[in-house]
Amino acid sequence: MKALIIGAAGMVGRKLTERLANQPVLAGQALDALMLVDVIEPQAPQGADFAVETRALDLSEPEAATALLEERPDIIFHLAAIVSGESEADFEKGYRINLDGTRYLFEAIRQAHGADGYCPRVVFTSSIAVFGTPFPEAIGDEFLNAPLTSYGTQKAIGELLLADYSRRGFFDGIGIRLPTIAIRPGAPNKAASGFFSSIIREPLAGQEAILPVEESVRHWFASPRAAVGFLLHAAEVDTTSLGARRSLSMPGVSVTIAEEIEALRRAAGDKAVALIRREPDPTIMKIVAGWPQNFDPQRAIGLGFTADRDFDEIVRIHIEDELS
């Protein structure tokens, strides 16, 4: 079994790589070789008992994807993207990376399929940003994709391409719409959603955090550990039951900012909560107001995808994985 992770230097890519290094089984088969790719060369995992290749490569370059397919990986995890805030701030960069890079990858696979019948499993990370207001109380599997951001639009187009290329038999694709992943370790990124993690991460480390929105804001979350579980399950799930609709909203936890803060209080006490400073940001408030708040992802649950039980578990996972 050969696997390719595009976007392997990102947080979820690193977590996926670590899991595979510790448990080298993918889709029920032993992992023999792993290629890790990103615009910055990813680090190879320590202690892996399979072949690992790392490359620095920009998927938005027209010929880059063709080079990645020379070894014919059986499973391709397409995680590469720039985040919501950066996509909104830099229109051209967002479409070049999030859309053009995806199209180049899918086209390279199509060309390889025409040459020798190559047909890999492609796991595409989409986003709940493909949905736009007005929302029902909980977004079900039949809700219309109508994004209101550039990032959401780019991901929605990627979903359509994934479905069409799969329909034509060029590859076996599955798209997973990730909830907002929290609590993200490390330094903040340019995602508009970054504060969801920082108001927990920084106080747990004894540092001040800025809260730019009201505590009544509700959102949909999953932990990094759950995100890796989604990817691994997507690599092995029977896609024949998906039919033409190849993308699924993943399970998660719907909580308000106030409920996040109470989970922090239960984990670290009032002293940690006191490190959160309210500083309203109208730009972020406007962006967040157009985001989904709750889901009813019955298709994914029926296929065996599972997430965290509650936000307390998400906090515990961060403490175990990052602070222990």
Side-chain angles (χ1 to χ4, degrees), residues 36 99 216 299:
L36 306 174
L99 178 55
S216 59
R299 289 184 75 210

Side-chain angles (χ1 to χ4, degrees), residues 46-251:
Q46 296 182 350
D49 59 359
F50 49 82
V52 179
E53 179 183 354
T54 62
R55 291 191 193 182
L57 184 146
D58 185 349
L59 192 64
S60 66
E61 296 294 330
E63 301 302 321
T66 301
L68 298 180
L69 303 180
E70 291 176 354
E71 299 299 320
R72 296 296 194 261
D74 302 289
I75 298 176
I76 299 173
F77 296 98
H78 178 21
L79 317 181
I82 63 170
V83 293
S84 55
E86 193 172 2
S87 297
E88 208 63 19
D90 192 332
F91 184 84
E92 292 184 359
K93 184 178 182 181
Y95 274 89
R96 178 171 57 83
I97 294 176
N98 294 346
L99 178 55
D100 294 345
T102 298
R103 174 75 191 282
Y104 291 149
L105 173 64
F106 291 178
E107 267 298 291
I109 298 172
R110 185 177 74 87
Q111 296 295 332
H113 177 85
D116 58 19
Y118 174 58
C119 188
R121 169 67 59 90
V122 176
V123 180
F124 172 62
T125 50
S126 188
S127 167
I128 59 175
V130 300
F131 300 109
T133 55
F135 298 125
E137 183 176 343
I139 295 174
D141 294 318
E142 307 303 323
F143 193 68
L144 177 69
N145 288 21
L148 296 175
T149 64
S150 294
Y151 176 75
T153 301
Q154 293 147 15
K155 287 296 186 180
I157 297 171
E159 287 189 9
L160 291 172
L161 293 173
L162 183 87
D164 197 37
Y165 279 64
S166 295
R167 179 182 66 84
R168 298 295 295 265
F170 302 134
F171 55 69
D172 182 14
I174 179 170
I176 57 174
R177 300 183 189 116
L178 294 177
T180 290
I181 303 303
I183 299 151
R184 301 181 69 92
N189 61 18
K190 294 183 180 181
S193 60
F195 68 89
F196 287 123
S197 288
S198 66
I199 62 170
I200 307 296
R201 180 184 61 231
E202 269 71 338
L204 284 173
Q207 301 170 5
E208 184 179 72
I210 303 300
L211 175 59
V213 302
E214 298 294 332
E215 291 188 17
S216 59
V217 167
R218 177 175 292 277
H219 199 59
W220 187 246
F221 299 99
S223 69
R225 191 185 294 177
V228 170
F230 297 154
L231 290 165
L232 294 175
H233 190 60
E236 66 181 12
V237 72
D238 181 3
T239 56
T240 57
S241 63
L242 295 179
R245 297 182 300 160
R246 287 283 174 149
S247 293
L248 301 164
S249 297
M250 292 292 101

